[in-house]
Amino acid sequence: MAILDIIKYPDPRLHMVADEVADINQDTRQLVADMAQTMYEAPGIGLAAPQVDRLLRVIVVDISEDRNDLRAFINPEIIEKDGTKECEEGCLSVPGIYASIQRAERIKVRALNTDGKVFELEADGLLGVCIQHEIDHLDGKVFVDYLSRIKRDRIVKKLKKGTRT
């Protein structure tokens, strides 16, 4: 396993749409393992392949306290949504920035696991929010894209100021 570099906002690669995984093989499983290690090391609760410069529809999520409930979703798609809720979100690609975002309250997602088997999962709460957030990355969307242009500009300035030495 390897720790991968996480792309930081406003890098334009974060706005690229990821390709479907055509063949789940050892490379795919290695990507999932590397992404999981990167997510845990960061530390975070979710990570999408585009965030580590891999334009593939792969996400990993683990919202457990003990970090022992890793879930991998390959080619995930939300097939049902219900309700709306506001929640505070952050992102490993937008370090130190948090904002209230409106999401579906409950979702049903269909994806492939690392063995290539189709599964469906109903999710709400933090898990539902996290899955929606990570799928947005696959579609070239970062959570700050939901904010006004003025707020996004402030975030970019703040992030650029923080990277100066």
Side-chain angles (χ1 to χ4, degrees), residues 33-107:
D34 291 346
M35 287 174 58
Q37 185 174 359
T38 302
M39 175 187 69
Y40 289 135
E41 183 71 23
I45 60 171
L47 188 67
Q51 291 178 272
V52 292
D53 204 19
R54 306 298 194 285
L55 270 182
L56 294 169
R57 297 188 75 79
V58 177
I59 65 173
V60 294
V61 173
D62 186 345
I63 62 165
S64 69
E65 294 272 334
D66 299 333
R67 302 173 140 217
N68 63 358
D69 190 23
L70 180 68
R71 296 169 190 249
F73 300 79
I74 301 168
N75 299 334
E77 60 179 322
I78 296 172
I79 56 175
E80 288 179 24
K81 290 182 178 185
D82 186 40
T84 58
K85 68 184 253 180
E86 288 247 338
C87 37
E88 184 94 347
E89 292 187 29
C91 180
L92 295 175
S93 290
V94 193
I97 304 296
Y98 299 89
S100 188
I101 305 296
Q102 192 164 36
R103 299 278 186 190
E105 189 172 10
R106 285 176 300 286
I107 61 166

Side-chain angles (χ1 to χ4, degrees), residues 21-33:
V21 175
D23 182 34
I24 298 174
N25 53 34
Q26 186 52 40
D27 289 342
T28 312
R29 288 185 279 280
Q30 186 62 53
L31 176 60
V32 167

Side-chain angles (χ1 to χ4, degrees), residues 8-11 14-15 87-103 133 136-137 140-159:
K8 303 294 190 241
Y9 184 81
D11 191 304
L14 291 171
H15 292 288
C87 37
E88 184 94 347
E89 292 187 29
C91 180
L92 295 175
S93 290
V94 193
I97 304 296
Y98 299 89
S100 188
I101 305 296
Q102 192 164 36
R103 299 278 186 190
H133 176 110
D136 271 356
H137 279 296
K141 195 164 194 172
V142 182
F143 84 101
V144 296
D145 294 338
Y146 289 99
L147 305 175
S148 71
R149 183 176 181 89
I150 291 170
K151 287 182 180 179
R152 283 194 315 270
D153 289 346
R154 284 188 196 142
I155 289 167
V156 169
K157 285 181 186 176
K158 182 177 180 178
L159 291 172

